Every structure is written in structure tokens, then in C-alpha cells.
Amino acid sequence: MTADSPIGIMDSGMGGISVLREITALLPNENFIFYGDSKNAPYGSRTTEEIYHLTSRVVDELLDRGVKAVVIACNTASSAAGKRLREKYPSLPIIAIEPALKPAVIGCPNGRVLVLATEATLRETKFANLMDAWKDRAEIIKMPLPGLPEFVERGELDSPALRDFLSSHFKALGGKTVDGVVLGCTHYPFVKKVISELFDNKVKIYDGAAGTARQLRRRLYSRNLLNNAAQKGTITWINSSEDPAMIELSKKLYMIEI
Ligand code: DGL
């Protein structure tokens, strides 16, 4: 692998495009391969072992295509497979994402922070450790939202059904106000506007995409792998679904305002 090799970015589906957007804004001259495993999405309600094997297969495919680094742009895959994949490929820079709990707690001191993520992300040790580190500085409420990635995978980013789905989950707060909301799944930023509106646009919303992009730049820099090309880079789109509409939707999600 050399500095002009592409960077592989993977997600269980199209959610990782919210991370890709931050990465291409920060590193416009790099070439990217975005792999969405929509055929196997959602990962969030699967077992740790299943998520590991699915993620590992995607990483192998990206390596076959000559990537110089891999970004796991999926909180679920990062928690279930990040550590094992780093052990499997010790010389490959693997950048994982985690729910942006740290900035949320710092931004809402002694407040109440709602963490929205998949069941798998919230049950894994990685999140338990993160929560342990921050639990004394804010009240942290975990809320899994199984079924939400499917809305995004259909391109349904605002609809009465989506609003009903979210408000029925938020009812579990029993009227408690929240100060900050962490979007701990990379699909969720695509429905950020609706989530914000359901909290009367009065909450601060955090996600881990920008931090992940900065982490990728640091890792490439430290290994002398940043692409110094003068021209803008390219994005190659791959989706495991046989439906060609998924690539069209991916490109749309890359461009729309969120
Ligand atoms: N995008 C994935 C994440 O960040 C989750 C979606 C899924 O359940 O597949 O956690």
C-alpha cells in the first residue's frame, strides 16, 4: 500500500455515508471506496459473533482492492469487531467510531444526556467502559432504536411513520427533559432534523463523524500515508445488495443537506 492507495470505509449499510461526508470534507484529495453491506443490514440486533464475521468479510474485500486504511464507519461493527480486526491485521490502520459521549457530557455538564444507538453498541464492553468514564459528570440514558436504520436504508428521512416511530420511543423518557442527544449510530444523522424537532429544537446533538475524520487524518499522517495529490479524489461505491437503486440512494445521501 502507498499514499495514493484508496481508503476503505465500511458500514452495515448506508449510515456510514454520514461519516464519509466528514472525511471527504477534511481529506478532499484522497480516493475512497465506500462499502455498504445493505444486504446484511441491520447489524444492530445481531450477535457479536455475527457482526464480527460480517465486518471481517467486508474488510477482506476492501483489502483485496488495495486500501491503505479502513474506517469502520459503523458504531455497531466498531464495538463488536474493531479490537479483533486490529489483532488480525496489526499493520493496517483501522479507524473505529464510537458514540460521541465525551463531547456531549462536556457540553452538558451535570445535565441529562440521551444516547441513541443500536442494541449491540449499547450492550458491548466498549460502550460500558465509555459510560463508566463519564457517568459521574452527567445523567446518561441509553436508548436502543431497533428499526430506525431501516428507514434510512429505504431513503425515508422524514415521514409520519418515522415521526411516530421516534415519538413512541421517546415516550419512554416519561416527560424528562434532556440537554444533549448522542447519535450513536451512523444512520441516525440522516434523521437528525426530525429528532431535533421532536425535542422542540432545544437539545444539543452530537455525533462521532468529525472526530473519526480527524482520527483518520492523524493516523495517516503518522504513517506518512496522506495523499499529496493536487487534484480532487474519487469515491468508488460498492453495495452488497443486488438492487442498483442502493448505489443511487448512496450518492443522494452523500449530497443531501442534513
Ligand atoms: N450504522 C450502524 C451503526 O453505526 C448501525 C445500523 C445497523 O443496525 O446496521 O451502529
Side-chain angles (χ1 to χ4, degrees), residues 10-13 35 37 42-56 58-59 70-86 94-99 118 120-124 126 184-187:
M10 70 81 57
D11 180 44
S12 62
Y35 190 113
D37 195 11
Y43 281 12
S45 308
R46 293 179 180 272
T47 65
T48 306
E49 211 47 31
E50 279 177 323
I51 300 165
Y52 170 72
H53 286 293
L54 290 168
T55 308
S56 182
V58 175
V59 171
V70 168
V71 178
I72 308 178
C74 174
N75 292 268
T76 306
S78 294
S79 353
K83 188 164 172 274
R84 274 170 84 181
L85 286 171
R86 286 197 180 106
I94 296 180
I95 291 83
I97 190 167
E98 69 178 19
T118 67
T121 298
L122 295 175
R123 78 164 178 248
E124 291 292 332
K126 192 171 191 270
C185 164
T186 56
H187 281 72

Side-chain angles (χ1 to χ4, degrees), residues 45-213:
S45 308
R46 293 179 180 272
T47 65
T48 306
E49 211 47 31
E50 279 177 323
I51 300 165
Y52 170 72
H53 286 293
L54 290 168
T55 308
S56 182
R57 208 174 56 195
V58 175
V59 171
D60 286 348
E61 179 153 349
L62 289 169
L63 281 171
D64 286 347
R65 289 169 183 262
V67 297
K68 63 181 175 184
V70 168
V71 178
I72 308 178
C74 174
N75 292 268
T76 306
S78 294
S79 353
K83 188 164 172 274
R84 274 170 84 181
L85 286 171
R86 286 197 180 106
E87 284 159 11
K88 186 173 170 192
Y89 300 111
S91 62
L92 173 71
I94 296 180
I95 291 83
I97 190 167
E98 69 178 19
L101 186 59
K102 176 181 173 181
V105 170
I106 292 172
C108 307
N110 300 314
R112 195 175 281 133
V113 174
L114 176 65
V115 183
L116 306 175
T118 67
E119 292 157 293
T121 298
L122 295 175
R123 78 164 178 248
E124 291 292 332
T125 320
K126 192 171 191 270
F127 186 75
N129 292 341
L130 186 64
M131 187 145 162
D132 266 357
W134 295 100
K135 67 176 188 318
D136 296 335
R137 300 187 39 185
E139 182 187 339
I140 301 166
I141 304 173
K142 302 190 277 182
M143 184 181 285
L145 293 174
L148 186 52
E150 288 90 325
F151 281 92
V152 177
E153 292 286 306
R154 294 195 284 276
E156 189 175 335
L157 308 185
D158 191 355
S159 67
L162 173 68
R163 284 174 184 262
D164 283 353
F165 171 91
L166 287 168
S167 22
S168 70
H169 279 84
F170 296 155
K171 273 202 192 102
L173 293 169
K176 277 187 192 169
T177 55
V178 296
D179 306 290
V181 175
V182 176
L183 305 180
C185 164
T186 56
H187 281 72
Y188 302 173
F190 289 110
V191 297
K192 177 176 171 175
K193 188 174 140 277
V194 176
I195 292 175
S196 178
E197 282 174 22
L198 292 174
F199 288 99
D200 300 323
N201 294 320
K202 284 192 181 125
V203 286
K204 295 181 199 161
I205 300 194
Y206 301 86
D207 73 63
T212 304

